Amino acid sequence: MNTIGPSCIVPPPFIIISALKTVHPELLEYKKAGSCEIHVNASGRMDRNAFHCYTVHFCSWVTICRSLGVIPHNSPVFLILDGHPSRLCSSALVLYAKYYIFVFTLPGNMTHITQPFDVGIACPLRNAFRKLMRRRKIKWVEEHNDGQKMKASDRRKIIVEYAINAEKSETSFLNKENAFRTTGLFPINPEILVSNPYVSDVT
């Protein structure tokens, strides 16, 4: 789960790893370095517990930014989310209120128009990650022509590393700025949303 904003100030990505009960040692180095936050569960998908953990991650990041003066102490933080069912987590909402974070949920089936991540970041990020994984797979086959399979622990480490690298390469300030401008969220411009072909055809 990547959190972006129309500036250079963003929290590290929140990565969910499947089929684990604890964060294994090969992944801890990324977490300790602050490169990402890692959550594990059976499915590898976002659920309410994972969203609560993301909330703790985000609130901790906001607290650090406020202590450093990056975010003014008396300034609210606005978090825009999609309408995934996991967002219906009361413990997370309590934390957001406690840390002066205002949460806005976008309408269903509208993120391809209204969510900056979906509009300008998701596709290039996904493509960059897949490109890195393809290169690594080719390299592995070349180095292990005996058909040896990659260990699960090595694969997990590569996935996390490439997810971090793809996030760094595709979430530049310019990309994020363009994504927010295209959705009309920042600078605020409702006309951009109203004039969108997907919206104008309906209205």
Side-chain angles (χ1 to χ4, degrees):
M1 183 171 179
N2 296 86
T3 307
I4 65 169
S7 71
C8 298
I9 310 169
V10 292
F14 182 83
I15 300 174
I16 303 175
I17 302 294
S18 65
L20 292 179
K21 293 184 178 180
T22 60
V23 180
H24 284 200
E26 73 271 8
L27 305 178
L28 283 175
E29 60 180 275
Y30 300 104
K31 185 172 180 177
K32 290 179 179 178
S35 301
C36 67
E37 178 61 29
I38 297 176
H39 177 77
V40 296
N41 60 23
S43 67
R45 298 178 181 274
M46 179 63 75
D47 55 25
R48 291 187 184 181
N49 181 55
F51 182 65
H52 174 86
C53 292
Y54 165 79
T55 299
V56 172
H57 164 62
F58 186 76
C59 291
S60 298
W61 174 80
V62 169
T63 300
I64 293 172
C65 288
R66 283 175 173 156
S67 67
L68 296 174
V70 177
I71 298 176
H73 283 277
N74 60 347
S75 176
V77 172
F78 297 92
L79 180 63
I80 302 173
L81 300 168
D82 58 25
H84 192 271
S86 63
R87 311 318 184 218
L88 296 174
C89 176
S90 58
S91 60
L93 297 178
V94 169
L95 282 175
Y96 287 129
K98 179 180 178 180
Y99 287 91
Y100 201 24
I101 298 169
F102 292 86
V103 177
F104 297 87
T105 303
L106 297 171
N109 302 316
M110 291 284 287
T111 57
H112 65 293
I113 302 172
T114 57
Q115 188 178 52
F117 180 82
D118 280 13
V119 170
I121 303 296
C123 184
L125 179 65
R126 188 183 306 113
N127 290 340
F129 175 76
R130 288 175 176 172
K131 185 176 181 180
L132 289 170
M133 290 298 292
R134 281 196 300 269
R135 287 178 177 175
R136 187 64 183 86
K137 184 177 181 180
I138 292 172
K139 184 178 179 181
W140 174 268
V141 172
E142 290 174 347
E143 294 176 347
H144 303 82
N145 53 15
D146 57 355
Q148 179 183 349
K149 291 185 177 181
M150 185 182 295
K151 293 180 181 179
S153 58
D154 292 335
R155 180 172 174 78
R156 284 192 293 265
K157 186 174 181 179
I158 290 171
I159 288 173
V160 170
E161 181 178 339
Y162 287 175
I164 294 170
N165 291 344
E167 192 264 351
K168 288 180 179 178
S169 67
E170 301 304 324
T171 57
S172 66
F173 172 72
L174 182 60
N175 287 353
K176 292 182 291 184
E177 185 182 44
N178 288 338
F180 272 83
R181 182 180 289 108
T182 302
T183 57
L185 285 176
F186 188 85
I188 296 176
N189 187 352
E191 289 301 318
I192 291 179
L193 181 61
V194 174
S195 62
N196 187 293
Y198 292 101
V199 176
S200 58
D201 286 347
V202 177
T203 56

